[in-house]
Amino acid sequence: MNTVFLLSPASCAGRRAQILLRNEAAFPLAERLRTTGVPLGEAFSFLSGLYFRGKLAYATAFGRAPHGVDPGLVITTNRGLLPVDTIITHADLCAFGSVPIDASNPVYRAPLEGSARALREAAPDARVVLLGSIASDKYVTILLEVFGNDLLFPSEFVGRGDMSRGGLLLRKVDEGTELEYVPVAGAIRRGSRPPKLEPRQR
């Protein structure tokens, strides 16, 4: 079955973003960001660490989409849904960090709504799975308006923090097995913390 994953974004205004965006930063990723640009997924993996690395690895492993549709799309603050391999620059990352993620903010809302509707038209029969927090409405409100009951999320995300979700996704990639997905609409979006994950076996 075709499955498209929507990855929630990394923070572009936090401490790690400040490190990456410093003009004096001399490590390879920062230098490439200022010159040739870097893939969006790589930049966000640096900013977010384990959580985004887990989402990226999981989407890469299990994403399947019709011709012309990317199976892994990242929610951004001002450009809607972008493929994980989109090349971004220093200026792009600065722009991401300047736009609040708020469903009432048209700079954020309009591109996300537009690209979500384009995805729905291009892949009407694909499962659309949100890899991100559903405890708040900052992504869910807009995406539910477009996908309705077809918007899914991993049921095992409920009650887990970001690090636990990232670790869970990486373990599933190691195992080669997908999580169970359930509709966001009507789901229990907050719950008790599940047991701690067992150490990852490599």
Side-chain angles (χ1 to χ4, degrees):
M1 178 182 293
N2 286 327
T3 305
V4 177
F5 293 100
L6 308 184
L7 285 61
S8 60
S11 171
C12 298
R15 184 180 63 85
R16 292 185 68 84
Q18 294 173 5
I19 293 171
L20 182 58
L21 291 170
R22 287 179 63 244
N23 290 327
E24 300 81 8
F27 56 97
L29 181 63
E31 292 180 339
R32 287 167 49 219
L33 185 68
R34 293 195 300 268
T35 54
T36 60
V38 300
L40 177 60
E42 184 179 356
F44 276 18
S45 292
F46 175 85
L47 298 181
S48 182
L50 178 64
Y51 187 26
F52 198 89
R53 284 195 292 109
K55 290 185 287 189
L56 182 59
Y58 189 89
T60 300
F62 300 118
R64 301 289 184 273
H67 178 72
V69 176
D70 289 277
L73 298 167
V74 182
I75 299 169
T76 65
T77 62
N78 63 355
R79 291 170 59 184
L81 299 170
L82 292 180
V84 297
D85 57 359
T86 300
I87 300 299
I88 63 165
T89 64
H90 187 278
D92 293 326
L93 202 57
C94 288
F96 290 159
S98 69
V99 179
I101 296 180
D102 185 327
S104 65
N105 177 9
V107 177
Y108 163 65
R109 182 187 185 96
L112 178 56
E113 185 175 1
S115 56
R117 293 193 185 284
L119 171 61
R120 180 76 296 176
E121 292 178 6
D125 299 322
R127 296 188 298 183
V128 178
V129 180
L130 174 61
L131 298 181
S133 174
I134 63 162
S136 74
D137 291 327
K138 55 188 178 181
Y139 320 120
V140 171
T141 297
I142 298 170
L143 296 175
L144 276 177
E145 290 178 4
V146 177
F147 299 109
N149 291 332
D150 294 329
L151 180 67
L152 310 176
F153 79 104
S155 58
E156 288 190 51
F157 270 20
V158 175
R160 294 186 185 275
D162 289 353
M163 295 291 283
S164 180
R165 290 175 189 160
L168 175 65
L169 293 171
L170 289 174
R171 284 163 174 77
K172 288 300 178 180
V173 172
D174 293 343
E175 296 170 5
T177 59
E178 290 188 67
L179 292 161
E180 178 186 0
Y181 310 127
V182 296
V184 173
I188 297 174
R189 293 164 60 178
R190 295 176 177 83
S192 58
R193 186 178 296 275
K196 188 175 181 180
L197 294 170
E198 295 293 329
R200 186 180 175 197
Q201 302 296 321
R202 296 179 182 273

